[in-house]
């Protein structure tokens, strides 16, 4: 039942996307099924009865002409629908499903992508979404038309030989039960091989994506990747052999049920009754046998289509789980809107534990960041710096304690309005296949005001000199995904694009998580100098592994094992001669020994 409900869940979505497409699909299959029924039952009955009763030939011609007209009209409709309109229907369905999936993907909590079970379901849903929509619509059309044809066949048989009906139906139900088991096996096989499929997809992406091209050619990393690929293929074959071997045996059993129930028993009864008992005349025999054959074919089709119907329902469960996922961090439509143009951010006794872990990543963090303050978070990798930024941006909710903006718990704000108060760069930022202006604004250019914002942001990031060398300037496409004339910037230049996004957002708080990791020390100094000038009236929080960038911060927080162990200005921390001073002196020594090169 759950599988059937899932199919109707998908059918409702399809109806919303294209109701006329659903109607045309049902009509297409119904016309085809009715044509088969008329030709195989009613036409043959009419011809045999005409022979028995010596009906005049012109009457036969009239019927044949009517059937010819029906065939022509059906053919015209089928040709129009199948070769033209159905393609439009598929595009509408695909557009609706993909749009819904993309919207839900953005809405899902960040923690979902770190949950293997949920991510496997998302992967399966994403891989099947463009196939299942139209297949389910087609299967519904087939089943609907087949059921209508089967009902008419049952009515015809019931007039002469009702005993045939339960025999055929019982055998068909047994076949349906077997088909359900087969569909479950195929689905279980798909679920069990999902990790191997993801491993194969990873190797495929690694081999053809430009990101990995240099390392693959300069080292021997291809060989362990190839081993992972071979191992995953072997595991997939082993699992597939197990499940599909059982499915093949069930298929043989299914065929035996269908053949026994319809051909041997049902038609045997009809022939016996005609020959031995003279229960009906020849035209009745033709009608009953053809109706029984059509019923057998219909139930066979229903059984066959239901196996796919059930299979589709199992796959739709992944999609339904994803579509109906309720995020823990919601938009809070009726929440408060931050009113101030400048903000005070406060963290009180904040602790955080990632889902599935027992050790806290952050412990008892207390911060008070007034408007306009320049704050640096430093510490070794894994100290909890980036997690702290994710909590402030409310990508996760704190496990204990609270975060306040202007004295109000951030959970009480409307989520999008709260996040709009921040301009943020993460160290794993992404560049999109769009022009420089759109990459900086993160939305299409609307007017001259947007152009000015993008220009000023690029200037503040220190990238304008490079932009001025490009033929299309700010209109230059980044990457060559959609434009062969696009450009590929260096890692440091891409990072300046990310920094420009913060300036372009014109928010009151800027958060930069390792904004200078791809820059040399001189470029880093210039970027921070430009950033501090452009953000003179903003609150700035930045994370950097180079302590030299924290020198001019108003306050520095040193994190270790998820706790703040030191804080103060650069001068104060150096005077304390603690861990910060040790780290700073060590980095300065390494820089001097390298001759100013990194």
């Amino acid at each position: 039942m759950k599988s059937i409900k899932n199919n109707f869940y998908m059918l409702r979505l399809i109806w919303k996307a294209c109701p006329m497409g659903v109607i045309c699909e049902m009509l297409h299959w119904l016309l085809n099924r009715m044509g088969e029924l008329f030709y195989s039952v009613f036409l043959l009955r009419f011809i045999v009865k005409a022979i028995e009763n010596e009906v005049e030939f012109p009457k036969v011609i009239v019927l044949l002409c009517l059937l010819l007209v029906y065939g022509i009209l059906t053919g015209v409709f089928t040709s129009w629908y199948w070769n033209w309109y159905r393609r439009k229907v598929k595009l509408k369905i695909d557009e609706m499903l993909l749009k819904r999936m993309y919207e839900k993907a953005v809405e899902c909590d960040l923690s979902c992508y770190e949950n293997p079970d949920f991510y496997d379901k998302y992967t399966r849903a994403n891989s099947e979404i463009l196939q299942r929509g139209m297949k389910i619509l087609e299967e519904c059309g087939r089943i609907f038309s087949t059921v209508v044809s089967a009902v008419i066949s049952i009515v015809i048989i019931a007039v002469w030989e009702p005993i045939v009906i339960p025999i055929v139906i019982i055998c068909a139900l047994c076949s349906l039960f077997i088909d359900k088991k087969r569909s479950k096996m195929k689905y279980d096989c798909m679920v069990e091989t999902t990790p191997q499929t993801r491993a194969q997809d990873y190797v495929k992406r690694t081999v053809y994506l430009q990101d990995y091209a240099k390392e693959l050619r300069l080292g021997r990393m291809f060989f362990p990747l190839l081993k992972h690929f071979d191992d995953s293929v072997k595991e997939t074959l082993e699992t597939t052999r197990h499940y599909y071997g059982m499915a093949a045996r069930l298929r043989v059993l299914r065929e035996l049920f269908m053949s026994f129930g319809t051909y041997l028993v049902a038609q045997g009864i009809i022939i016996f009754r005609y020959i031995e008992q003279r229960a009906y005349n020849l035209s009745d025999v033709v009608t009953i046998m053809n109706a029984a054959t059509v019923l057998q074919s219909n139930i066979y089709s229903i059984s066959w289509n239901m196996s796919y119907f059930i299979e589709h329902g199992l796959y739709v469960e992944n999609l339904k789980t994803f579509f109906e996922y309720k995020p823990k961090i919601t938009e809070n439509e009726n929440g408060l809107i931050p009113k101030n143009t400048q903000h005070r951010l406060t963290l009180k006794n904040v602790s955080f534990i990632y889902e599935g872990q027992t050790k806290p990543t952050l412990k008892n963090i207390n911060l008070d960041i007034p408007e306009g303050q320049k704050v640096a978070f430093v510490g070794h990798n894994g100290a909890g710096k980036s997690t702290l930024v994710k909590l402030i941006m409310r990508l996760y909710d704190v496990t204990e304690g609270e975060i306040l903006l202007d004295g109000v718990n951030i959970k009480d704000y409307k989520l999008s309005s709260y996040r709009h108060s921040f301009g943020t760069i993460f160290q794993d930022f992404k560049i999109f296949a769009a022009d420089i202006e759109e990459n900086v604004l993160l939305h299409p250019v609307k007017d001259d005001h947007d152009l000015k914002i993008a220009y000023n942001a690029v200037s503040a990031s220190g990238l304008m000199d490079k932009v001025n060398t490009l033929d299309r300037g700010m209109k230059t496409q980044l990457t060559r995904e959609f434009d062969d004339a696009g450009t590929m910037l260096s890692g440091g230049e891409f990072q300046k694009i990310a920094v420009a996004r913060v300036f372009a957002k014109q928010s009151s708080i800027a958060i930069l998580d390792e904004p200078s990791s791809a820059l040399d020390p001189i470029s880093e100094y210039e970027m921070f100098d430009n950033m501090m000038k452009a953000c003179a009236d903003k609150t700035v929080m930045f994370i950097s592994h180079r302590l030299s960038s924290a020198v001019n911060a108003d306050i520095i927080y040193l994190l270790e094992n998820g706790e703040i162990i030191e804080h103060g200005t650069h001068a104060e921390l150096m005077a304390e001669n603690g861990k910060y001073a040790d780290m700073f002196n060590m980095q300065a020594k390494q820089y001097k020994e390298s001759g100013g090169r990194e």
Side-chain angles (χ1 to χ4, degrees):
M1 284 300 294
K2 187 176 182 180
S3 182
I4 294 173
K5 287 180 180 178
N6 287 342
N7 277 282
F8 283 113
Y9 168 83
M10 178 64 85
L11 192 60
R12 286 194 298 271
L13 293 180
I14 294 171
W15 176 266
K16 290 179 182 178
C18 187
M20 186 54 67
V22 176
I23 293 171
C24 287
E25 184 77 18
M26 299 298 170
L27 185 59
H28 162 72
W29 290 109
L30 186 61
L31 289 174
N32 278 277
R33 279 292 178 184
M34 290 302 98
E36 293 174 5
L37 187 66
F38 286 135
Y39 287 124
S40 59
V41 177
F42 294 106
L43 178 60
L44 283 175
R45 175 177 174 78
F46 179 83
I47 292 173
V48 173
K49 203 170 185 66
I51 294 171
E52 285 181 329
N53 300 330
E54 297 182 354
V55 174
E56 296 178 3
F57 185 68
K59 293 183 178 179
V60 177
I61 292 296
V62 170
L63 177 64
L64 293 176
C65 289
L66 289 174
L67 288 175
L68 178 62
V69 171
Y70 176 85
I72 292 172
L73 293 176
T74 302
V76 169
F77 172 78
T78 298
S79 180
W80 167 80
Y81 174 66
W82 200 263
N83 296 313
W84 183 74
Y85 188 66
R86 198 172 191 269
R87 297 181 183 182
K88 292 181 64 177
V89 173
K90 185 179 187 309
L91 287 173
K92 287 184 178 181
I93 293 171
D94 290 348
E95 179 188 21
M96 178 274 297
L97 291 174
L98 286 173
K99 186 177 179 182
R100 186 158 182 164
M101 171 161 276
Y102 297 155
E103 289 172 348
K104 180 57 72 172
V106 173
E107 182 185 331
C108 282
D109 295 310
L110 193 63
S111 58
C112 292
Y113 294 89
E114 296 162 359
N115 182 326
D117 181 57
F118 184 92
Y119 197 69
D120 278 348
K121 287 183 178 180
Y122 170 59
T123 301
R124 290 193 291 268
N126 193 39
S127 65
E128 293 289 332
I129 192 168
L130 291 181
Q131 301 178 43
R132 297 293 162 179
M134 204 64 200
K135 284 183 178 179
I136 287 172
L137 178 58
E138 181 177 333
E139 222 61 64
C140 287
R142 288 177 186 272
I143 292 173
F144 169 71
S145 62
T146 306
V147 167
V148 172
S149 179
V151 169
I152 296 173
S153 300
I154 288 173
V155 171
I156 294 171
I157 297 171
V159 173
W160 286 282
E161 204 61 64
I163 189 63
V164 169
I165 298 170
I167 295 172
V168 175
I169 291 177
I170 289 170
C171 290
L173 290 175
C174 292
S175 300
L176 182 60
F177 175 76
I178 294 170
D179 282 335
K180 184 177 179 180
K181 297 285 290 183
R182 288 176 61 240
S183 295
K184 183 67 167 56
M185 285 180 183
K186 290 173 68 176
Y187 176 77
D188 289 343
C189 180
M190 184 274 297
V191 170
E192 196 167 320
T193 57
T194 294
Q196 288 77 37
T197 303
R198 282 202 289 121
Q200 293 163 30
D201 288 342
Y202 172 76
V203 175
K204 181 175 70 174
R205 291 197 312 273
T206 302
V207 169
Y208 80 74
L209 284 179
Q210 185 179 8
D211 300 6
Y212 304 94
K214 294 188 290 294
E215 283 81 358
L216 286 175
R217 283 152 181 77
L218 296 176
R220 298 177 60 82
M221 195 60 205
F222 174 74
F223 296 100
L225 287 175
L226 187 60
K227 184 178 185 305
H228 281 304
F229 182 82
D230 288 340
D231 290 344
S232 66
V233 170
K234 288 176 183 176
E235 290 177 24
T236 301
L237 287 173
E238 190 173 325
T239 304
T240 302
R241 190 181 300 115
H242 168 71
Y243 281 104
Y244 278 76
M246 292 190 294
R249 289 189 287 274
L250 287 175
R251 173 70 182 272
V252 173
L253 184 61
R254 175 191 185 279
E255 296 299 325
L256 288 175
F257 267 108
M258 293 300 294
S259 299
F260 176 81
T262 53
Y263 289 111
L264 182 61
V265 179
Q267 296 196 13
I269 290 172
I270 296 168
I271 294 171
F272 172 80
R273 291 265 289 150
Y274 173 70
I275 295 175
E276 297 295 328
Q277 300 179 356
R278 299 293 176 181
Y280 17 70
N281 55 38
L282 184 60
S283 61
D284 296 334
V285 171
V286 171
T287 302
I288 300 168
M289 291 192 68
N290 284 340
T293 302
V294 170
L295 179 59
Q296 179 267 338
S297 175
N298 286 334
I299 295 178
Y300 188 91
S301 295
I302 291 172
S303 175
W304 186 258
N305 294 144
M306 282 300 293
S307 69
Y308 284 111
F309 199 64
I310 293 166
E311 178 183 323
H312 294 325
L314 294 171
Y315 283 94
V316 171
E317 181 65 23
N318 296 312
L319 194 63
K320 188 178 177 183
T321 299
F322 185 69
F323 279 173
E324 295 187 347
Y325 171 78
K326 302 295 182 185
K328 300 170 186 174
I329 301 175
T330 60
E331 175 62 14
N332 189 12
E333 289 288 352
N334 298 319
L336 301 172
I337 307 294
K339 295 180 180 179
N340 301 335
T341 55
Q342 298 293 328
H343 301 289
R344 189 181 198 96
L345 190 67
T346 307
L347 281 73
K348 292 184 177 180
N349 302 316
V350 168
S351 296
F352 178 73
I353 303 175
Y354 280 102
E355 187 176 341
Q357 298 185 4
T358 56
K359 184 180 178 182
T361 304
L362 291 173
K363 294 176 285 185
N364 198 34
I365 300 296
N366 288 279
L367 296 172
D368 185 32
I369 305 173
E371 61 183 63
Q373 191 174 64
K374 308 300 184 282
V375 183
F377 296 100
V378 298
H380 294 296
N381 290 337
K385 305 184 299 296
S386 293
T387 300
L388 183 62
V389 172
K390 293 173 184 177
L391 292 177
I392 292 173
M393 291 302 303
R394 212 180 164 214
L395 294 172
Y396 295 92
D397 275 335
V398 299
T399 306
E400 294 179 10
E402 59 179 348
I403 301 176
L404 309 174
L405 184 71
D406 301 329
V408 178
N409 192 306
I410 62 174
K411 295 179 182 179
D412 295 332
Y413 286 109
K414 184 178 179 180
L415 185 62
S416 57
S417 298
Y418 169 75
R419 288 178 177 168
H420 189 70
S421 301
F422 298 84
T424 308
I425 308 174
F426 290 103
Q427 53 186 312
D428 55 351
F429 68 90
K430 299 300 179 186
I431 296 297
F432 297 96
D435 64 35
I436 293 174
E437 291 168 349
E438 291 171 334
N439 262 287
V440 170
L441 295 170
L442 290 178
H443 63 72
V445 177
K446 299 175 183 176
D447 48 35
D448 290 341
H449 180 64
D450 279 350
L451 291 174
K452 185 177 180 180
I453 291 173
Y455 182 88
N456 291 337
V458 170
S459 298
S461 71
L463 189 64
M464 188 52 71
D465 288 342
K466 173 65 178 181
V467 172
N468 289 333
T469 65
L470 303 173
D471 293 339
R472 300 184 188 177
M474 295 284 286
K475 297 292 184 184
T476 302
Q477 286 278 316
L478 297 182
T479 78
R480 297 188 178 93
E481 292 285 345
F482 305 129
D483 187 350
D484 291 339
T487 188
M488 294 297 296
L489 302 178
S490 67
E493 289 165 343
F494 276 139
Q495 204 146 28
K496 289 179 180 179
I497 291 285
V499 171
R501 290 172 180 171
V502 174
F503 299 138
K505 195 168 184 183
Q506 299 183 319
S507 53
S508 57
I509 303 175
I511 301 180
L512 303 101
D513 184 356
E514 296 282 9
S516 57
S517 60
L519 303 180
D520 60 78
I522 295 175
S523 297
E524 178 191 41
Y525 174 81
E526 291 175 350
M527 190 205 75
F528 269 101
D529 187 52
N530 290 334
M531 185 180 66
M532 290 304 178
K533 290 176 182 177
C535 296
D537 59 341
K538 294 178 184 285
T539 301
V540 179
M541 291 181 281
F542 58 89
I543 296 169
S544 179
H545 68 285
R546 293 194 186 113
L547 301 187
S548 57
S549 60
V551 170
N552 295 323
D554 296 327
I555 188 167
I556 302 168
Y557 291 94
L558 175 62
L559 278 78
E560 187 174 283
N561 296 325
E563 297 180 278
I564 296 174
I565 60 171
E566 293 181 15
H567 70 278
T569 65
H570 172 73
E572 290 169 347
L573 292 175
M574 292 301 290
E576 286 181 12
N577 201 29
K579 288 196 174 183
Y580 174 86
D582 288 342
M583 291 171 62
F584 186 88
N585 290 329
M586 186 178 297
Q587 286 191 7
K589 180 181 178 182
Q590 290 174 345
Y591 179 71
K592 290 176 182 177
E593 289 176 352
S594 65
R597 299 184 302 274
E598 287 196 357

